[in-house]
Amino acid sequence: MKRIQLLVFVLLLLLMLNVCASPLFAKAPTTPKILFTSSRDGNREIYMMNPDGSEQVNLTQHPAGDLQAVWSPTGEQILFVSDRQGTRVRNLYVMNADGSNVRRVFKKKIMAWRDSPTWSPDGKQFAYNYMDWDRRKSGLYLGTLGEEDVEPLPYGSLPAWSPDGSEIACSVSHAAGTRLTFINVDARDREQPLPDKVLPWQSDPSWSAMADRLAISGNKHPIPDIKDRELHEARELHKAWKAKQSIFIVNRDGTDLRQLVEEAGAYAQYPELSPNGQEVLYTQMINDRPQIFKVDVNSGVLTQLTHVGMPRFGNFGGDWFDPAYALPVSPQPHLLTTTWGDVKKQ
């Protein structure tokens, strides 16, 4: 009888651990996968697909808007943005790689936007954009998983943490456009290796796994002067300039800048460099529907990965995970909703 009771206790304990400690035992994909956002049904959802565009699977299936998903360094978890707290609020959430065990990163509710997250290579921290619409307060912040306190960075937006953990690439606005900027995580020094005369608009950085180069969106044409222009004329000038936005690749030191996508057609945005540095994802409007493409860095061959969607509602963004390039980060026990000691007490 005692053996049966002990067996039942062990089985219940294992079940509790499986439910409560699911972040620890979450499984990473065994093959390369791409996360992206799709509003093909009129509602933004997080999807996953193979690098060739096959097997597109909805991971969130929620009535709220879910977007901007990024893989954890080990591929076991996904950090994403959602407005599940209300249309005027965007907050950060984390879930397992299969879409299970969704939970909010910050417990305190806010009336603001947190978006554009990026993981640190050790899987403990993250950087993100913050915008408080009522107080007109915005900036780049650092957070730690499991903690409510955050740390502001002095400048920047659209962060991308380097694979070696030493710096964060971001975009910094200036009078004539935006600059690709590197912030040293420890010293907070700032470096801008790419002159704005070469590329007046530099945004959306994405690192290679070797941290030797980045993909960025950019516009090599000066921003038009719309001062003293009529509203309609100013809009048309900006629209024509925006249409020339393209995708570039550049070395970490600012050398060997190359344009990967032609300027013909709609503007290209949201670049994401593959871990091996050979391909770049990007989003471009086709027949009034945003679709995801990839371009081969060496050959220039383009491949359209998504095809469905409604007018103005399609697919965009992307984050690449390849187990061959996964960082050797141990799961973080403090992410568990219930610890071993608490289970024993029960």
Side-chain angles (χ1 to χ4, degrees), residues 26-342:
K27 294 182 179 180
T30 57
T31 59
K33 296 290 183 180
I34 293 171
L35 293 173
F36 66 101
T37 303
S38 180
S39 54
R40 59 188 64 182
D41 298 321
N43 175 50
R44 290 173 175 171
E45 301 276 12
I46 304 301
Y47 278 71
M48 179 172 62
M49 65 178 169
N50 294 328
D52 63 0
S54 62
E55 298 183 19
Q56 298 183 14
V57 179
N58 186 340
L59 295 180
T60 46
Q61 299 180 5
H62 194 278
D66 302 317
L67 64 160
Q68 297 179 349
V70 288
W71 292 105
S72 67
T74 57
E76 295 167 347
Q77 299 181 77
I78 297 169
L79 187 63
F80 68 100
V81 176
S82 181
D83 60 7
R84 299 183 184 203
Q85 291 180 259
T87 54
R88 294 190 66 227
V89 178
R90 281 187 179 180
N91 220 331
L92 302 181
Y93 290 75
V94 67
M95 64 182 174
N96 293 345
D98 61 0
S100 64
N101 195 25
V102 178
R103 61 268 189 207
R104 203 166 68 235
V105 172
F106 294 99
K107 294 180 181 179
K108 295 180 181 178
K109 293 185 178 181
I110 58 168
M111 290 300 295
W113 279 22
R114 292 185 176 109
D115 58 18
S116 303
T118 178
W119 291 86
S120 64
D122 63 5
K124 297 179 181 180
Q125 292 184 293
F126 53 93
Y128 63 95
N129 286 349
Y130 178 83
M131 171 65 75
D132 187 328
W133 299 106
D134 294 332
R135 299 178 182 179
R136 296 183 179 181
K137 179 182 179 182
S138 64
L140 192 60
Y141 282 79
L142 295 182
T144 301
L145 289 172
E147 298 181 7
E148 293 293 314
D149 293 335
V150 297
E151 180 184 357
L153 289 175
Y155 29 65
S157 62
L158 304 174
W161 214 307
S162 67
D164 63 6
S166 64
E167 55 190 358
I168 294 174
C170 63
S171 302
V172 173
S173 299
H174 61 93
T178 61
R179 291 279 298 274
L180 171 65
T181 302
F182 299 102
I183 302 174
N184 185 286
V185 174
D186 294 326
R188 302 299 163 86
D189 295 335
R190 183 172 70 173
E191 182 183 354
Q192 296 178 324
L194 195 57
D196 56 3
K197 293 181 180 180
V198 175
L199 198 64
W201 188 269
Q202 311 163 20
S203 187
D204 294 316
S206 171
W207 293 91
S208 68
M210 301 300 293
D212 57 343
R213 54 183 176 173
L214 302 93
I216 60 174
S217 63
N219 196 321
K220 61 186 180 183
H221 304 275
I223 299 176
D225 184 3
I226 58 176
K227 185 179 180 181
D228 299 327
R229 303 273 188 173
E230 295 291 337
L231 180 60
H232 175 74
E233 183 183 8
R235 286 178 174 175
E236 289 301 312
L237 284 172
H238 183 268
K239 182 179 179 181
W241 173 83
K242 181 71 173 178
K244 298 176 182 179
Q245 180 175 308
S246 184
I247 305 299
F248 295 78
I249 192 166
V250 63
N251 290 339
R252 163 61 185 82
D253 61 4
T255 61
D256 195 22
L257 176 70
R258 288 192 292 135
Q259 185 171 336
L260 299 178
V261 179
E262 294 182 1
E263 295 174 6
Y267 62 89
Q269 57 184 336
Y270 308 134
E272 175 67 21
L273 191 55
S274 65
N276 64 10
Q278 299 302 308
E279 295 176 301
V280 176
L281 298 175
Y282 66 95
T283 302
Q284 193 169 37
M285 195 76 74
I286 301 295
N287 297 324
D288 199 30
R289 294 167 173 81
Q291 302 293 356
I292 299 174
F293 293 78
K294 67 177 179 180
V295 56
D296 187 287
V297 171
N298 297 313
S299 68
V301 173
L302 303 178
T303 304
Q304 186 172 343
L305 300 182
T306 61
H307 299 81
V308 300
M310 301 181 293
R312 296 181 293 108
F313 294 96
N315 313 275
F316 54 94
D319 191 57
W320 212 307
F321 174 77
D322 188 338
Y325 292 85
L327 296 174
V329 179
S330 300
Q332 303 301 317
H334 67 272
L335 296 182
L336 303 184
T337 55
T338 304
T339 64
W340 169 254
D342 293 332

